């Protein structure tokens, strides 16, 4: 959360300069995560949605789906119509089965659920964990001991590593975009 207020504000301005798919996907992911802090987040995603047919990388499309779904629960009035357009385009997308299936999953969840908060829990469950939530192994000592033999401290490390990776990819993409903007070169930072 402390880093969010530092890295989030310039993200919308950088998205258009990032061309490398992993970097673009990381930036889109961060826009979804930091959507309540970045006033321009939905509009940056909307520009990408409007150019959906130009996107070729499946990771970028999936990140766009996930981030738009996340923002739906943080800024619904701004995101509802653009999510509808995105789901329409992505469900018709036959270029990648994962993108198509993810879009259908989100569409069916939204359409069939009487409780929007249940869908929100599903959408956000894979990336975030409330600080006071307990895993089943936290309640059962035997299960916890067995899991910890196999995966010591993995739960927190994976979550932290995922955020750090997305942050690093975003910083590399921002650096590349700045180098291109400032020097007019395609300097790659690998």
């Amino acid at each position: 959360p402390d880093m969010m207020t530092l890295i989030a504000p310039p993200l919308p301005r950088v998205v258009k300069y990032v061309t490398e798919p992993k970097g673009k996907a990381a930036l889109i992911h961060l826009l979804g995560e930091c959507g309540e802090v970045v006033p321009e987040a939905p509009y940056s995603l909307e520009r990408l949605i409007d150019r959906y047919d130009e996107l070729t990388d499946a990771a970028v499309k999936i990140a766009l789906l996930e981030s738009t779904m996340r923002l739906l629960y943080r800024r619904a009035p701004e995101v509802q119509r653009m999510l509808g357009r995105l789901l329409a385009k992505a469900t018709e997308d036959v270029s990648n089965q994962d993108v198509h299936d993810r879009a259908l999953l989100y569409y069916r969840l939204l359409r069939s659920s009487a409780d929007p908060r249940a869908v929100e829990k599903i959408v956000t469950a894979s990336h975030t964990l409330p600080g006071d939530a307990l895993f089943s192994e936290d309640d059962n000592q035997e299960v916890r001991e067995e899991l910890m033999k196999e995966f010591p401290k993995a739960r927190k490390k994976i979550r932290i590593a995922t955020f750090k990776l997305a942050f690093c990819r975003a910083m590399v993409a921002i650096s590349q975009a700045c180098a291109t903007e400032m020097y007019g070169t395609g300097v790659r930072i690998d």
Side-chain angles (χ1 to χ4, degrees):
D2 296 331
M3 291 177 59
M4 189 183 302
T5 57
L6 293 174
I7 64 168
L11 292 178
R13 293 186 300 274
V14 176
V15 171
K16 64 183 176 183
Y17 297 111
V18 177
T19 57
E20 195 266 326
K22 286 183 181 178
K24 189 174 281 288
L27 281 170
I28 292 169
H29 173 78
L30 288 173
L31 282 172
E33 287 291 321
C34 305
E36 68 274 2
V37 178
V38 181
E40 302 90 13
Y43 310 109
S44 294
L45 294 180
E46 186 171 31
R47 285 191 288 275
L48 292 168
I49 291 168
D50 291 341
R51 295 188 354 249
Y52 180 86
D53 296 329
E54 298 171 20
L55 300 175
T56 57
D57 190 73
V60 172
K61 291 178 179 182
I62 287 174
L64 186 58
L65 278 166
E66 289 176 351
S67 292
T68 307
M69 283 293 292
R70 283 178 171 278
L71 280 181
L72 176 67
Y73 294 100
R74 294 179 177 143
R75 300 178 55 184
E78 298 164 283
V79 175
Q80 187 175 3
R81 288 184 188 263
M82 71 175 82
L83 177 61
R85 290 195 321 268
L86 175 61
L87 289 174
K89 291 177 182 183
T91 54
E92 294 173 2
D93 188 350
V94 294
S95 67
N96 185 287
Q97 192 66 44
D98 290 336
V99 172
H100 178 263
D101 290 349
R102 181 75 57 102
L104 277 176
L105 171 70
Y106 289 153
Y107 173 77
R108 289 175 180 157
L109 279 171
L110 290 169
R111 186 175 173 125
S112 67
S113 179
D115 181 14
R117 295 295 161 200
V119 177
E120 179 182 13
K121 287 180 182 178
I122 293 169
V123 170
T124 59
S126 63
H127 297 291
T128 62
L129 176 69
D132 58 349
L134 293 176
F135 287 97
S136 62
E137 64 269 15
D138 290 335
D139 288 337
N140 186 329
Q141 182 68 25
E142 291 175 22
V143 173
R144 182 176 55 218
E145 287 175 10
E146 185 65 31
L147 285 173
M148 289 303 121
K149 287 178 188 174
E150 296 178 35
F151 307 105
K153 301 179 185 176
R155 180 178 59 224
K156 286 185 179 178
K157 287 183 179 181
I158 289 171
R159 194 166 153 228
I160 291 169
T162 301
F163 181 79
K164 285 181 178 179
L165 179 62
F167 178 75
C168 289
R169 284 182 176 159
M171 291 295 97
V172 167
I174 290 168
S175 299
Q176 290 173 342
C178 289
T180 302
E181 184 70 17
M182 291 172 62
Y183 304 110
T185 64
V187 176
R188 299 233 357 128
I189 303 170
D190 292 322

